[in-house]
Every structure is written in structure tokens, then in C-alpha cells.
């Protein structure tokens, strides 16, 4: 009853809220929530990508990224059954009576925000080429690289505009028959020649059909899960690794030019 009343109240107030539904096996299914925050003041923010994903961005193969929703330690074992996206935050809660029954997590980015990509780089004494980028050289061992976290904004060459932010479980989009391979492509994952030939031949991958799945989908999906786990500290894998299926921010974006980013910067400042 409390869940029903809460859902009705949220609908009346215009909040972006949903109630999760249980799956077979007892796992908690998660909804997808659009950020839905147009018309707000946008910001210029940094974002980190590893070298492989920078190459995917440069090739215009990557249009979405997923980042962990960091849960308070006191609630990591709770089963969330209600999420709202409101006022720049995701509001997680559960409906039974407890002393602590919910928490908010601020959105890392909002639609309209401009992101400058931090990548592994090298600064050199050259007016013509002041910066060299690891993702674009053929002999990376020949350079003294600086970690991406130290890249200043003036060194950035890739700029993105956030188009949507939502919250879901990490694995949700990668077990949807008919769309999984396309979600993997949008993450910048190389789906391989076999899958590309399948799409070219049939118009859509044969793995759209559960009975006809060729097995390549698991291989491609495994590539993404390995990539995800490589970004998580070993001590955090139990909470945020692929097998833990954590809540994540799904951040969609479009690539823009430096001029567009600078124009946005002037308006933001």
C-alpha cells in the first residue's frame, strides 16, 4: 500500500519515479530513468577514458559510458525497490519500515553538460605540437607519458555533450535480445568481423533470436565485462564488478567540436 501511495504521489508531482519489479530467481529488476533535465545551467566537467576507449571516441564508435553509482556503505546489502531522478539526484529507497530507508546520490553529469576528455598524454616543448596523446601514436613506449588524471583542460582534444543520463543495473542492457549487440557497439566494443558480417547479411544480428543465437554474443559480452572489471579496483570488485551487477549511471553523449565546447564554456562562465 505504501508503494502504491508513493507512486501515485510521485506521478502527481511530476517526479521521474518507478517501482522495480522482481525477476524470476529473486533478483531485483531495475527500470531505466531518463535524466529529463533540459533547460538547466550546464557545466564544463572532465571525464576519464582509457586508451582503447579514446580510440573508440576518435572513431565515433562510442556514444555512451557507464559509471558506478557509489552507494553508502550502510546500504550496500539492501534491495532497492524504488528510484526517482529528481533535482539532479537519483533517490534510492525501499518501502518497508526501517530507521534508514533511503538515500540520494548526486548525478555526476546532467543533459547539456560539456565534458572534456582526459587521456594519457605527454607535454612537449613545441608550439606547433605541444601535446602528444598515447591513443594516437604507433610507438607508445618511446614517450614519457603522464596519467590522464593530470591532463589540464587546455590539453584536451575531445569534447562531448551529454544528451541523457539514466540509472539502471549494469547488466540490464546487455541481456536484452534484439538490442544487446547494439548496446555493446555504443559502448565502443569491437563486436568482431563475424557479428558485422551477420548484421550486413541479415540486417540485424542472428542473436536477436534466442533459438538461433550463435554463441558469439557471449564472447562479445564477455569482452565488455572484462573491460568493466579492469576499471574496478580489486578491493571493490565484490561491490562494483560485473558479477555484482551494481547500479550505474548510463551517460549518453554526442561528440562536439572544440569551437562548440568553447562557446559553451563562455556561456557557462
Amino acid at each position: 500500500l505504501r508503494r502504491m501511495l508513493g507512486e501515485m504521489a510521485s506521478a502527481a508531482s511530476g517526479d521521474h519515479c518507478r517501482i522495480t519489479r522482481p525477476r524470476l530467481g529473486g533478483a531485483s529488476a531495475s527500470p531505466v530513468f531518463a535524466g529529463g533535465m533540459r533547460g538547466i545551467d550546464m557545466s564544463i566537467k572532465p571525464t576519464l577514458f582509457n586508451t582503447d576507449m579514446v580510440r573508440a571516441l576518435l572513431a565515433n564508435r562510442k556514444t555512451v559510458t557507464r559509471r558506478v553509482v557509489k552507494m553508502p556503505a550502510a546500504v550496500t546489502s539492501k534491495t532497492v525497490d524504488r528510484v526517482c531522478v529528481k533535482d539532479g539526484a537519483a533517490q534510492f529507497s525501499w518501502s518497508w519500515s526501517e530507521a534508514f530507508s533511503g538515500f540520494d546520490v548526486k548525478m555526476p553529469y546532467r543533459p547539456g553538460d560539456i565534458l572534456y576528455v582526459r587521456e594519457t598524454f605527454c607535454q612537449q616543448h613545441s608550439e606547433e605540437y605541444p601535446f602528444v596523446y598515447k591513443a594516437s601514436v604507433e610507438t607508445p613506449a618511446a614517450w614519457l607519458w603522464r596519467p590522464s588524471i593530470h591532463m589540464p583542460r587546455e590539453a584536451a582534444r575531445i569534447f562531448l555533450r551529454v544528451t541523457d543520463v539514466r540509472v539502471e543495473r549494469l547488466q540490464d542492457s546487455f541481456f536484452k535480445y534484439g538490442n544487446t549487440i547494439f548496446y555493446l557497439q555504443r559502448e565502443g566494443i569491437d563486436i568482431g568481423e563475424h557479428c558485422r558480417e551477420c548484421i550486413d547479411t541479415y540486417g540485424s544480428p542472428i542473436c536477436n533470436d534466442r533459438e538461433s543465437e550463435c554463441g558469439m554474443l557471449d564472447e562479445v559480452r564477455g569482452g565488455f565485462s572484462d573491460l568493466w572489471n579492469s576499471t574496478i579496483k580489486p578491493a571493490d570488485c565484490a561491490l562494483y564488478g560485473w558479477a555484482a551487477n551494481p547500479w550505474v549511471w548510463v551517460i549518453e553523449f554526442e561528440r562536439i567540436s572544440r569551437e562548440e565546447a568553447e562557446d559553451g564554456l563562455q556561456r557557462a562562465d
Side-chain angles (χ1 to χ4, degrees):
L1 178 59
R2 274 194 299 271
R3 285 198 298 268
M4 293 175 61
L5 292 175
E7 190 171 18
M8 292 170 64
S10 296
S13 65
D15 298 347
H16 299 278
C17 302
R18 295 291 187 275
I19 304 298
T20 62
R21 304 299 182 192
R23 284 180 181 158
L24 293 178
S28 177
S30 64
V32 175
F33 306 96
M37 297 190 179
R38 302 288 180 178
I40 60 174
D41 293 336
M42 65 95 173
S43 301
I44 308 290
K45 297 180 178 180
T47 187
L48 298 173
F49 285 101
N50 65 26
T51 299
D52 286 340
M53 291 299 99
V54 168
R55 293 189 180 115
L57 288 169
L58 291 171
N60 296 316
R61 291 189 290 109
K62 186 173 180 65
T63 59
V64 65
T65 188
R66 286 165 169 78
R67 304 298 166 101
V68 165
V69 177
K70 293 296 181 71
M71 300 288 194
V75 299
T76 52
S77 63
K78 302 296 183 183
T79 300
V80 173
D81 63 1
R82 186 170 183 269
V83 183
C84 285
V85 175
K86 178 184 177 184
D87 298 332
Q91 302 175 350
F92 295 82
S93 62
W94 43 92
S95 56
W96 53 88
S97 176
E98 290 187 5
F100 184 70
S101 60
F103 58 93
D104 295 357
V105 181
K106 184 179 179 181
M107 294 170 64
Y109 311 112
R110 298 187 182 192
D113 282 352
I114 292 176
L115 312 180
Y116 64 94
V117 174
R118 283 177 166 171
E119 56 180 299
T120 304
F121 73 111
C122 174
Q123 188 167 3
Q124 55 182 3
H125 300 290
S126 169
E127 292 187 3
E128 186 175 5
Y129 300 106
F131 301 103
V132 177
Y133 306 93
K134 186 177 181 180
S136 297
V137 300
E138 295 182 358
T139 55
W143 300 85
L144 184 61
W145 300 112
R146 298 187 62 188
S148 55
I149 190 69
H150 298 306
M151 172 182 271
R153 187 163 68 188
E154 58 267 24
R157 59 172 174 164
I158 303 173
F159 299 87
L160 313 170
R161 180 186 289 117
V162 177
T163 58
D164 189 57
V165 181
R166 64 183 186 269
V167 180
E168 65 184 37
R169 291 283 190 178
L170 172 61
Q171 297 182 22
D172 280 2
S173 292
F174 303 113
F175 286 91
K176 292 181 177 179
Y177 283 85
N179 293 311
T180 297
I181 203 72
F182 298 115
Y183 282 117
L184 289 164
Q185 281 184 300
R186 294 190 63 200
E187 276 282 359
I189 300 300
D190 184 0
I191 63 174
E193 191 61 31
H194 182 88
C195 290
R196 283 192 289 271
E197 289 180 359
C198 184
I199 293 173
D200 290 342
T201 301
Y202 299 104
S204 69
I206 197 169
C207 56
N208 280 0
D209 185 346
R210 291 172 184 259
E211 296 180 358
S212 303
E213 186 174 331
C214 63
M216 291 300 297
L217 177 58
D218 281 339
E219 182 176 331
V220 178
R221 188 163 43 211
F224 177 75
S225 68
D226 290 343
L227 174 66
W228 176 268
N229 285 336
S230 73
T231 68
I232 305 298
K233 295 178 181 178
D236 292 336
C237 274
L239 289 177
Y240 303 126
W242 172 263
N245 197 22
W247 289 92
V248 294
W249 301 104
V250 183
I251 303 154
E252 298 185 2
F253 52 78
E254 59 185 358
R255 190 174 168 192
I256 61 174
S257 67
R258 175 180 291 274
E259 290 72 26
E260 290 177 284
E262 289 175 347
D263 179 65
L265 174 60
Q266 291 175 359
R267 288 186 285 112
D269 291 342

